[in-house]
Amino acid sequence: MPFGADHALASTTAAHPFGGDDYVLMLGTIEPRKNHERAIAAWHALPKPRPRLVVVGRTGWCCDAAVAALRDAVLHDGALWFGDADDSTLAVLLAHARVLLYPSLLEGFGFPPLEALRCGVPVVAGD
């Protein structure tokens, strides 16, 4: 499947990256249209114990507030932020995620939801 989600498939024997703990995965550049601030606020509103929030994405444009919220969540609430990840790391993260959170406000196509579904991971996405 050229230009599809075939690269997102992980080996079923790949070890869980966080010792089996549930986590919510967000993929995408940190910028307003990806809606990270609202996603982090919603994650904070979940009752404890809540799944860990794992974010993979580089900083983009107009992202100071989202980066501050993300750094605070990492520092005080156990969230994790990877500025970048290669395909094999992403495949493992996708394969073991409880859900992919993709609350984008504006999107062209949006490959991460397709990749997550290809791995059998449910997706919560913005319309």
Side-chain angles (χ1 to χ4, degrees):
M1 170 181 0
F3 310 114
D6 54 330
H7 71 282
L9 295 178
S11 167
T12 57
T13 60
H16 191 289
F18 309 114
D21 293 340
D22 282 343
Y23 61 95
V24 173
L25 180 63
M26 285 188 72
L27 301 176
T29 305
I30 313 299
E31 55 190 37
R33 69 185 184 92
K34 296 293 187 175
N35 211 8
H36 284 83
E37 281 185 84
R38 187 173 293 164
I40 294 166
W43 176 72
H44 275 122
L46 291 173
K48 291 182 181 181
R50 62 183 171 234
R52 174 178 285 183
L53 178 64
V54 177
V55 176
V56 179
R58 297 178 186 167
T59 57
W61 52 274
C62 294
C63 64
D64 292 345
V67 167
L70 184 52
R71 286 187 175 144
D72 185 66
V74 168
L75 186 61
H76 299 293
D77 298 307
L80 294 174
W81 178 19
F82 298 90
D84 197 10
D86 60 25
D87 280 349
S88 61
T89 301
L90 284 175
V92 171
L93 289 172
L94 276 168
H96 294 284
R98 182 75 166 153
V99 65
L100 176 74
L101 178 58
Y102 203 74
S104 184
L105 299 170
L106 177 64
E107 200 59 54
F109 180 79
F111 273 101
L114 178 65
E115 294 166 343
L117 292 170
R118 172 82 178 190
C119 292
V121 174
V123 175
V124 174
D127 62 2

